[in-house]
Amino acid sequence: MTLVLVVDDSPVDRRLAGGLLEKRDDFSVEYAENGNDALKKIEQQVPDVVVTDLQMPEMNGLELVGFIRSAHPLVPVILMTAHGSEDIAVEALEQGASSYVPKSKLADS
């Protein structure tokens, strides 16, 4: 079973992204409400993949990508945002994100 950690400060968006992933029988989904919460959960159990929002208080998604990359370089991180642009996508990939998806395209992914 693939463990996916969904990180988003918006409860609605967190459940939307997680709900799409939970439709797959081979995914188990855990949730974190911000970057700090995500790091605590990763300390307890390293997920197979992380899906994180870009814009969050305390620690944004790019910062979270950096922390995960340094501690767990083999864990892919997918960045999602409602306010995306091509520049942000490039920056996310340069920071080590495995992929980038606008929230408006989540259901298509």
Side-chain angles (χ1 to χ4, degrees):
M1 177 91 45
T2 301
L3 177 60
V4 181
L5 178 61
V6 176
V7 187
D8 199 316
D9 60 313
S10 164
V12 171
D13 289 349
R14 194 168 53 239
R15 290 302 308 163
L16 172 67
L20 291 168
L21 294 166
E22 287 174 346
K23 289 181 180 180
R24 293 192 45 152
D25 293 336
D26 55 341
F27 283 0
S28 171
V29 181
E30 293 287 327
Y31 297 92
E33 55 189 58
N34 58 50
N36 291 327
D37 187 29
L39 292 177
K40 288 176 188 170
K41 291 188 184 253
I42 291 169
E43 281 180 23
Q44 295 170 0
Q45 182 176 8
V46 178
D48 297 298
V49 64
V50 175
V51 178
T52 184
D53 187 21
L54 172 64
Q55 296 182 349
M56 297 182 291
E58 298 178 36
M59 177 188 307
N60 70 37
L62 288 176
E63 293 168 325
L64 181 58
V65 167
F67 280 113
I68 293 171
R69 279 282 142 256
S70 64
H72 305 283
L74 299 179
V75 175
V77 182
I78 299 169
L79 204 65
M80 60 181 176
T81 185
H83 309 287
S85 71
E86 202 169 292
D87 292 338
I88 292 173
V90 169
E91 184 178 358
L93 296 172
E94 287 174 349
Q95 294 287 330
S98 299
S99 188
Y100 168 89
V101 62
K103 286 185 179 179
S104 62
K105 303 286 186 192
L106 281 177
D108 300 337
S109 301

